[in-house]
Amino acid sequence: YDMDVWHATYLGPPFTSKDYIYSLVCSSMIEHPELYPPAVRYRLVTLTNRAIAKAGLILCISDHIRQVARERYGVSEDRLAVSYLGVSETFQPMDAGLCQDFVRTTYGIDRPYFLFSGRWEPRKNIVRIIEAFAQFKNEIESDIQMVFTGERTWAAEEAEKIIQDNKLQNDVIDLGKSPVGELPQLYAGALALVYPSLWEGFGLPIVEGMAAGIPVITSNNSSMAEIGAEAALLVEPTSVESIAEAMHNIASDEALRVSMRTRGLERAKKFSWKKTAEETLALYEQFANSHKKSC
């Protein structure tokens, strides 16, 4: 087809005769290839390298990603653009009682809980989250649970062993991959979102948690420090002690929870899908016009 703009939104095509826009959504396959199985790693790295070299414009979903493309690959600024992801308007503060009724009726959860949202894979740091939660439970007497929502992958076996070894079967709840329509209530009903991933290109759950009006614990590296900024509690993701300390601070300090809720709600206003769409459309028009002139 004779198209004006061709946009590869996750991986670039192996071969193409058309110049195209490429969305670079993560740098973990570049910075931390050890986090992926060999076959997955080879495919991701090969197609990502090719796309970065060939694309007419690289659309980055965070400034962190733009810096990786510029510094590691030497991509010139005129081939780079940044447009943040947005957050669904369904993520918003909700009545605590209604949320408690929902999670109790839907999932049988009748205790306060920390929430993790994402796939059970090495990059998401699931093992250290569980180890930190075990340390948190050992240090203070608390009925707080750790709830996971997301698909299990090849990394789940090690995490399951940590749960068994620390006798956390009654305190760690795996909901599997929850329906999208249930996520806003799960977020809003949580004591905090715990998301100390090892590496992210953006970290969408961070913004979802802030928009839902709950404190967010996330990492001090890659894009997460950029997206969470002063509105999140930043931790060293490779330190179990750092994650556990953040859990303790959130659980024990109501003033901190209130402050983080206020800052998070304000920060979340900076991210919307409408803004993302408008910025992306403007780039389409700019890209199409520049190619018409070159022809």
Side-chain angles (χ1 to χ4, degrees):
Y1 296 99
D2 185 21
M3 62 200 78
D4 294 312
V5 176
W6 204 100
H7 183 185
T9 57
Y10 182 66
L11 288 175
F15 307 101
T16 177
S17 59
K18 297 278 290 185
D19 201 2
Y20 61 94
I21 297 174
Y22 168 60
S23 281
L24 183 55
V25 300
C26 192
S27 62
S28 59
M29 75 287 284
I30 300 166
E31 301 288 346
H32 293 283
E34 73 278 1
L35 296 174
Y36 296 88
V40 175
R41 176 174 67 235
Y42 176 79
R43 176 174 179 267
L44 286 175
V45 172
T46 299
L47 292 178
T48 297
N49 288 348
R50 182 175 181 82
I52 289 174
K54 298 293 184 181
L57 178 68
I58 299 172
L59 180 54
C60 308
I61 62 173
S62 65
D63 190 60
H64 156 72
I65 292 293
R66 181 184 65 83
Q67 290 176 13
V68 169
R70 185 187 63 203
E71 296 170 6
R72 193 172 178 93
Y73 284 86
V75 179
S76 59
E77 286 292 343
D78 63 311
R79 289 180 59 221
L80 295 171
V82 176
S83 181
Y84 288 125
L85 302 183
V87 60
S88 170
E89 294 179 357
T90 60
F91 289 93
Q92 55 184 283
M94 298 182 188
D95 179 84
L98 293 177
C99 287
Q100 290 169 5
D101 289 343
F102 174 83
V103 296
R104 184 187 305 112
T105 302
T106 307
Y107 295 115
I109 300 171
D110 56 4
R111 290 153 54 186
Y113 61 93
F114 293 123
L115 178 69
F116 169 86
S117 179
R119 283 159 53 88
W120 289 51
E121 60 181 70
R123 180 165 61 92
K124 300 299 183 181
N125 213 15
I126 302 295
V127 168
R128 288 193 185 92
I129 291 173
I130 296 171
E131 290 176 337
F133 180 67
Q135 181 173 318
F136 161 76
K137 295 285 282 189
N138 287 333
E139 291 176 351
I140 67 170
E141 187 175 342
S142 171
D143 63 348
I144 294 174
Q145 293 178 304
M146 184 72 231
V147 174
F148 289 87
T149 176
E151 179 186 7
R152 286 197 176 210
T153 68
W154 66 93
E157 185 176 343
E158 184 181 0
E160 190 61 48
K161 185 177 186 304
I162 299 297
I163 294 172
Q164 300 290 332
D165 289 348
N166 288 277
K167 298 180 173 57
L168 292 171
Q169 294 91 328
N170 295 326
D171 292 305
V172 174
I173 310 298
D174 175 20
L175 303 180
K177 190 174 182 179
S178 304
V180 172
E182 296 177 1
L183 290 177
Q185 291 95 326
L186 273 173
Y187 273 80
L191 191 64
L193 177 77
V194 181
Y195 196 76
S197 178
L198 293 175
W199 208 259
E200 292 289 334
F202 183 84
L204 188 57
I206 297 169
V207 184
E208 292 171 342
M210 293 189 296
I214 62 173
V216 173
I217 298 170
T218 193
S219 301
N220 60 5
N221 66 23
S222 59
S223 66
M224 290 171 284
E226 174 188 349
I227 303 304
E230 74 288 343
L233 198 57
L234 303 181
V235 300
E236 169 51 55
T238 60
S239 168
V240 170
E241 290 73 20
S242 180
I243 302 169
E245 181 181 2
M247 291 178 174
H248 181 273
N249 290 340
I250 291 293
S252 61
D253 192 338
E254 183 178 359
L256 176 63
R257 296 197 298 270
V258 172
S259 173
M260 291 190 67
R261 170 189 171 91
T262 301
R263 284 179 283 158
L265 287 170
E266 189 62 30
R267 177 71 175 159
K269 293 177 182 178
K270 299 181 182 296
F271 305 93
S272 76
W273 286 120
K274 183 175 186 296
K275 181 180 179 182
T276 303
E278 290 171 345
E279 292 173 346
T280 305
L281 179 59
L283 289 170
Y284 285 175
E285 293 170 342
Q286 176 185 328
F287 189 79
N289 290 334
S290 67
H291 280 63
K292 283 179 183 178
K293 291 177 183 178
S294 65
C295 293

